[in-house]
Structures are given as C-alpha cells and as structure tokens.
Amino acid sequence: MPAEGAAIGSSVEAVFREERGRLLASLVRRFGDLDLAEEVTSEAIEAALMHWPTDGVPSRPGAWLLTTARRRAVDRLRRDRVLATRLAVLQAEAERADHAPPADADRDLPDDRLALFFTCAHPALAAQDRGALTLRFLAGLTTTEVARAFLVPPATMAQRLVRAKRKIRDARIPFRVPGPDELPGRLPTVLQAVYSVFTEGYAASSGPDLQRIDLAEEAIRLGRILRRLLPAEREVAGLLGLMLLVHARRDARTGPDGAMILLDDQDRGRWDRPMIEEGRGLVVVALTGRAPGPYGVQAAIAALHDEAADVASTDWPQVVALYEVLLGLVPSPIVALNRAAAVAMRDGPAAGLALLDELADEPRLRGHHPYPAARADLLRRLGRYDEAAAAYRSALTLVGTEPERAYLLSQLRAVTTE
C-alpha cells in the first residue's frame, strides 16, 4: 500500500504540474478572481489526494479537478454575498468583452491559458511582478519557489504577489486575449516576461551557481505553451528558438566543479544537438515573411554560434550584420555592447575596444559587469595589462555569481603577472 500511495501521490503531482495553469485560467475566466481561483484549485488538489488513493485516478483528471474546484467556488459564493456581488460585476464586464461560451466540465479542460498569460503580463503591472505572476500561475511554482527564482525571502514574494493580484482586481484588468489590433502591442510584454525568467535561469544574477537549469527549463515550457496557443506569431517561434539554441549549451558552460567555461573553450560535443535542430527550425519560421522581430534576430545569432565548429569558424560578419539589424529594432546599450564584442572578433580587439569606449557614459552599463569585463578582455588581448587589470577590478565590484567572480579573479591574476 505505501508504494501504491506513493504512485497515486506522484500521479496527482504530475496532473497538478501539467493542468494547474489550465485549471486556474478556466476558473478565472468563469469567476473573474485570481484569489478565489487559486484557493479552490488548492482545495480541489486536496480533495484529489483524499479520494484518488481509494477511488483511483479518474480517466480525465483535469476535468475532475475542474468540476470539484467549480463546486467549491459556487459554495463560497453562496456563503459570501459581498464576494458574490463583486464577482457578478466582474463577470458581467468579462462577458461583454468576451462572448466565449462557458466551459463544459464534462468535456476535457478548456485551455484559457493564453488569456492568463496576458493578464499576468499586463502593462499596468510592475515589470518584476509580471515574471513572478507568470511563474506562480502559469508555471505552477509555489510562492517559495518563485521567491527562490527572484532571490527574495518567501514573505517578500508573498507580499509582492498579493500586491499584484490586488492591482489586477482594483484596476479591473480584463481576463481576455487582446484583439487583433491590440495583440502586436501587448504580445512583447508577455514574451519579455517569459524571457526574463529564462535569462535568470541561463545567467543567474547572483548566488553560488552560474546557471539555474530548472528556471531555464520552466521558461522553455512556458514558451512551448505559447507556441501551441499562438502558432501564427513568428516572434513566439523566435523566442522559443532562442531559448532552445542557448539552453542547448548548458552542459558545456560549467566544469565538474561548477567553474565557468567561456564559449571559446566549451566542448561542443556536449551541446544538445536535437535541441539545436529544433531551435534552427524555429529560426526559419521566425525569419520567414515580413521583417523579423527582435527574438527572431537573436535566435538567428544563436544559431550561427551553434552551427560553427569552433569560435574561429563562426560567421562573424553575419553575426555583426544581425546585431546591426537588432540594434535598429532595439536601440539598447546592451545590444551595442554585444555588437562591439562581435566586431572585435571580426575586425580585431582594437576595433571592438573603440566601440566599447563610445559606450562609456551609458547609464545602463554602469552597473552591468559584462561591460568592464569585455573591456578587460580586449585590453588584455592588446597587451595593455595595467588597464586590463583595472577593468577586471571594476567588473569584480559588480559581478553577482561565484563562478563569474572566480573567473574574473583568475584573469586578473594572469594580467598582473604579465
């Protein structure tokens, strides 16, 4: 029996992980309240843990959970007239905006997650709250797991999530997919929320590890959901392709001791080739048709790196050209920094350093450790060791993770002994 109970618990956990976002989205569309949806979802899971070990896992567990959760929600509304009145107003507003028929709990669980994506990433919410809500309600992470993702105490994250949900309620942010006229303006916010999660997983902002594989994989899972829900949106394909092409290098980015390994020194035999091929296919989708978007261009750059046998054989002229396209789409000093690094590979360190020096007064680069680290590397390659040492020291004051700090210290020691 203990083994059987463990198997049932595992089944419930698997269903919860896979269906939680869909269940929440369906309940929010029906009742218009994230708090209520979250509470009755938890109650439905508790009911499953109570009944499934004796009754067995139902053939359609998602529909079972939805039916149970909706009954719990109706019971709450009957007991709380104030809540019922407020939700009636919200539901009337939602129905005016969206005439979709109500979900049929006897059929498979409907997929309303796209509307939940746009609710969690609404422009009225603070940027840091969008990512937190996306992880909590669409990835299904607990508040403690979301707090770990953002490197804050669980109590702080709980307050942040409460504040964001209150904002959704008080501002009456609609739970719906934007219309065709609104979608181009709103979709980038959703994509940025997912990409921010991936970026923190790929290059952690602080802590003992260079990368957080679990967080990066959650972002990719969210990207796959978006891809299924918006198959005609090329930038969705571009984002998913970008994440896959970058994440394919994960095993080669650190050594057995967790030390950072730069692209130049990575064992490319350890790169995930099936993931690269999937990413390359998505790049074709992202770049086919009208002018490409920022994620499609970044995915194309990542593909050039992944296709090369080594750093020297990388098509650096094409990489530079793509960065110039990206700079036109996203005139950011971060993009300009990456372009300068690519120019250094194409035309030599002096050319790259000249471009970096033009960015010296950019406010966004002052607290960005890759900027002084890039200058230090080019100064080292030019034999200007004292200046390189000063730049490495500057980068060390800004770096967040221990593997990056260890790498910069090793480079500083190397140039001070030259």
Side-chain angles (χ1 to χ4, degrees):
M1 286 300 294
E4 183 180 350
I8 292 292
S10 178
S11 297
V12 174
E13 176 63 27
V15 169
F16 178 71
R17 195 72 166 180
E18 180 61 28
E19 300 289 356
R20 185 177 186 275
R22 298 176 66 197
L23 180 59
L24 272 171
S26 182
L27 292 166
V28 173
R29 183 177 66 81
R30 174 67 178 83
F31 298 106
D33 188 283
L34 262 173
D35 277 326
L36 177 64
E38 187 175 21
E39 289 168 7
V40 297
T41 293
S42 296
E43 290 177 8
I45 294 294
E46 290 174 6
L49 288 169
M50 182 181 299
H51 294 288
W52 290 5
T54 55
D55 299 342
V57 178
S59 59
R60 291 182 298 169
W64 188 99
L65 290 169
L66 176 61
T67 300
T68 303
R70 289 178 66 182
R71 288 172 179 164
R72 299 296 176 95
V74 170
D75 289 344
R76 280 174 178 259
L77 293 177
R78 286 172 177 164
R79 294 195 304 267
D80 191 334
R81 291 185 177 181
V82 174
L83 178 62
T85 301
R86 179 165 61 82
L87 293 184
V89 173
L90 291 171
Q91 189 174 350
E93 292 176 350
E95 288 174 354
R96 284 196 296 269
D98 181 4
H99 299 291
D104 181 355
D106 294 329
R107 297 201 310 266
D108 287 339
L109 190 62
D111 201 328
D112 292 309
R113 284 177 295 183
L114 188 56
L116 189 54
F117 265 109
F118 281 97
T119 301
C120 291
H122 195 279
L125 298 170
Q128 60 183 0
D129 293 345
R130 297 171 198 156
L133 285 170
T134 301
L135 281 178
R136 179 74 184 97
F137 296 116
L138 283 154
L141 272 63
T142 65
T143 299
T144 300
E145 290 170 329
V146 178
R148 191 180 306 123
F150 285 86
L151 304 172
V152 299
T156 300
M157 180 52 65
Q159 293 172 354
R160 184 182 296 178
L161 290 168
V162 167
R163 181 187 65 214
K165 288 188 290 184
R166 186 183 300 122
K167 176 72 173 180
I168 290 172
R169 184 188 66 221
D170 294 346
R172 296 191 175 179
I173 292 173
F175 178 78
R176 64 181 179 85
V177 179
D181 294 339
E182 299 174 278
L183 190 62
R186 289 283 306 282
L187 183 58
T189 308
V190 173
L191 299 182
Q192 182 58 53
V194 176
Y195 190 48
S196 295
V197 173
F198 177 77
T199 300
E200 182 62 30
Y202 166 75
S205 54
S206 61
D209 300 316
L210 179 68
Q211 50 189 347
R212 303 187 50 202
I213 302 296
D214 58 337
L215 205 55
E217 290 180 347
E218 278 300 340
I220 290 172
R221 192 170 75 87
L222 291 170
R224 291 192 187 282
I225 293 171
L226 275 176
R227 173 74 176 143
R228 288 197 300 270
L229 296 174
L230 290 170
E233 291 295 329
R234 295 186 306 138
E235 272 292 80
V236 174
L239 173 61
L240 179 56
L242 171 61
M243 294 190 295
L244 291 171
L245 288 162
V246 171
H247 194 57
R249 309 172 203 149
R250 64 196 179 281
D251 294 339
R253 293 186 64 224
T254 55
D257 58 352
M260 183 171 73
I261 302 176
L262 295 187
L263 188 65
D264 310 40
D265 303 317
Q266 288 176 17
D267 177 1
R268 299 188 177 213
R270 299 186 65 199
W271 289 3
D272 189 327
R273 290 295 159 185
M275 188 174 287
I276 290 172
E277 288 307 308
E278 183 182 359
R280 290 178 66 197
L282 289 164
V283 171
V284 173
V285 174
L287 299 185
T288 300
R290 61 187 185 279
Y295 292 109
V297 175
Q298 291 177 82
I301 293 170
L304 288 173
H305 286 299
D306 287 3
E307 291 165 0
D310 51 39
V311 169
S313 61
T314 303
D315 189 348
W316 291 110
Q318 184 67 10
V319 171
V320 172
L322 286 169
Y323 270 123
E324 288 170 353
V325 172
L326 184 60
L327 199 56
L329 295 169
V330 186
S332 156
I334 306 298
V335 177
L337 166 61
N338 290 329
R339 175 180 173 273
V343 168
M345 296 302 297
R346 184 190 67 180
D347 301 333
L353 184 62
L355 292 174
L356 288 181
D357 288 343
E358 293 176 5
L359 302 172
D361 295 328
E362 286 287 350
R364 285 183 59 188
L365 294 181
R366 288 174 187 163
H368 189 58
H369 82 270
Y371 176 71
R375 287 194 76 254
D377 178 64
L378 296 182
L379 288 164
R380 176 189 60 80
R381 288 163 58 186
L382 290 167
R384 296 160 60 176
Y385 299 123
D386 290 343
E387 294 171 88
Y392 280 126
R393 292 189 183 98
S394 178
L396 280 164
T397 66
L398 302 172
V399 73
T401 67
E402 291 307 316
E404 290 173 299
R405 176 176 297 279
Y407 171 78
L408 291 171
L409 281 170
S410 70
Q411 295 300 102
L412 175 60
R413 285 193 293 269
V415 295
T416 52
T417 57
E418 290 290 344

